[in-house]
Amino acid sequence: MEVMERWIISICFLLCPTSVNTHQPSLELWRTALQSGLYLTLIRGEVLNIHKVSEEVYDSLKGYGKRIGDIKECREHAIHNNGALHRQRRGFLRGALKELFNILEDEPGLLGPKALYVFMALSFARDEVLWLARHSENMPKNKTPEDYVDNKLAELLYYMVKLKALAAKHIYVIQRYHVQYLAQFDAMVLKDTIQNMFVCPEEESILTSSFVSSLSALSIKQVENKEVFDFRPLRLDWLRLQAYSSVNKAPLAIKDYPDLAKVMNTIQFHTKLVDNLGELLHETSELSML
């Protein structure tokens, strides 16, 4: 969520503000991001006062007077509501991570089908920890400073570490489940999706066919024999296919086949669970910037 907000505010609507005035969904997205907090991390300890910077940018543009009012309104909303909201979220996540860890510790076999929940829990918890760190150092002047101090933060961090260690410990369970899932389900869904495409030029056809054949060739014996998996070529080919299909007047336009994008993004995630679990755990729980 923090990364999305950073892209929405810092990159998108500060550099390309015109869509805020011309596209209603963009306006709603921008307002939601502005209401999420007062600061965003740029790099390490450097933070961006999002409302101040946004107001300066839009104040320098003609025809954006209404947006200045929106920025001030979102700032007031963030000051008066976000502290309590995030305090409640941290309280909920402490209980949720504890329950999730206890269940998965008792039944590690559930790590296969429920791996996504582990990464979601770690990501939500990390975002809350980072939010608190940013705002406690730049606490707004209000009547509830206790919303920016958390004496139970250590418990949340403890269960983040325990969940991360549990997933790393049972990597074999996660690999075994997702190798079978890739070969027996993802490959079949991808094959059906490709067959339903009306246009598929030769080069794109070669890539999509290689996806299906690579996934179909997977076997549970590879996990049992402790073979080292490497799906980087497949993921690079998917990036190559996206590049081919995203240019102007491409014979195969990816925007016309959203199901293909959904299936391939899911497959990409499943392959990372098999060959790069450590990177996923790092992405969703890294706190070294504190």
Side-chain angles (χ1 to χ4, degrees):
M1 184 62 71
E2 182 195 5
V3 175
M4 291 175 63
E5 290 167 356
R6 190 186 309 149
W7 276 93
I8 291 170
I9 297 173
S10 304
I11 307 299
C12 183
F13 295 129
L14 286 181
L15 299 180
C16 307
T18 53
S19 60
V20 175
N21 262 6
T22 59
H23 191 233
Q24 184 63 29
S26 295
L27 175 61
E28 295 301 323
L29 190 64
W30 176 68
R31 285 177 56 86
T32 301
L34 286 175
Q35 291 174 356
S36 64
L38 299 171
Y39 300 93
L40 282 178
T41 301
L42 292 179
I43 183 172
R44 297 179 182 174
E46 297 295 326
V47 296
L48 177 73
N49 187 325
I50 57 177
H51 300 93
K52 179 181 178 181
V53 173
S54 297
E55 190 171 344
E56 290 174 353
V57 170
Y58 284 91
D59 191 40
S60 66
L61 303 173
K62 292 182 179 180
Y64 287 84
K66 291 183 179 179
R67 303 290 78 86
I68 302 299
D70 288 336
I71 294 170
K72 292 179 178 178
E73 181 184 336
C74 292
R75 182 177 183 276
E76 290 302 312
H77 180 278
I79 290 174
H80 290 100
N81 297 288
N82 276 9
L85 174 64
H86 285 276
R87 175 169 49 80
Q88 292 169 4
R89 282 184 183 175
R90 292 192 300 274
F92 169 79
L93 286 169
R94 278 196 298 271
L97 263 67
K98 180 179 180 180
E99 290 180 13
L100 182 61
F101 171 75
N102 289 336
I103 291 171
L104 294 177
E105 187 181 37
D106 289 341
E107 298 290 343
L110 291 174
L111 276 166
K114 302 301 180 184
L116 177 60
Y117 289 95
V118 174
F119 296 110
M120 290 172 63
L122 289 173
S123 181
F124 290 148
R126 180 203 58 187
D127 283 353
E128 289 305 315
V129 172
L130 294 178
W131 187 95
L132 182 63
R134 289 196 305 274
H135 290 79
S136 61
E137 294 178 357
N138 303 276
M139 192 186 305
K141 295 180 181 179
N142 57 29
K143 298 178 181 179
T144 56
E146 63 274 10
D147 289 339
Y148 298 88
V149 178
D150 193 341
N151 296 326
K152 296 182 179 180
L153 186 63
E155 184 180 356
L156 182 60
L157 293 171
Y158 172 78
Y159 283 109
M160 286 179 67
V161 172
K162 295 291 282 185
L163 264 179
K164 186 177 178 179
L166 187 66
K169 178 181 178 181
H170 295 288
I171 185 173
Y172 174 79
V173 174
I174 297 173
Q175 281 187 331
R176 184 181 179 90
Y177 177 86
H178 284 94
V179 162
Q180 295 179 85
Y181 198 96
L182 285 163
Q184 299 175 16
F185 183 79
D186 283 337
M188 293 176 61
V189 173
L190 179 59
K191 184 177 181 180
D192 291 341
T193 303
I194 294 170
Q195 289 175 346
N196 291 329
M197 294 168 60
F198 298 107
V199 178
C200 194
E202 182 179 359
E203 194 162 1
E204 286 82 346
S205 179
I206 292 172
L207 287 175
T208 53
S209 298
S210 70
F211 296 155
V212 175
S213 51
S214 297
L215 297 176
S216 300
L218 293 173
S219 169
I220 192 64
K221 290 184 179 180
Q222 293 175 276
V223 182
E224 294 172 350
N225 294 335
K226 298 183 178 180
E227 291 188 23
V228 177
F229 293 94
D230 187 1
F231 291 103
R232 286 177 297 177
L234 185 147
R235 293 193 289 268
L236 285 171
D237 282 342
W238 168 227
L239 291 174
R240 188 176 292 114
L241 179 59
Q242 291 179 73
Y244 290 160
S245 57
S246 299
V247 297
N248 190 30
K249 297 182 180 179
L252 172 64
I254 193 70
K255 65 180 181 179
D256 296 332
Y257 298 97
D259 289 342
L260 175 64
K262 292 175 184 177
V263 171
M264 282 306 303
N265 281 334
T266 301
I267 289 173
Q268 180 176 250
F269 173 66
H270 290 163
T271 60
K272 285 188 175 183
L273 287 171
V274 176
D275 73 343
N276 212 346
L277 182 67
E279 181 184 340
L280 285 176
L281 290 171
H282 179 83
E283 288 178 4
T284 53
S285 63
E286 177 61 20
L287 291 170
S288 62
M289 67 288 292
L290 292 178

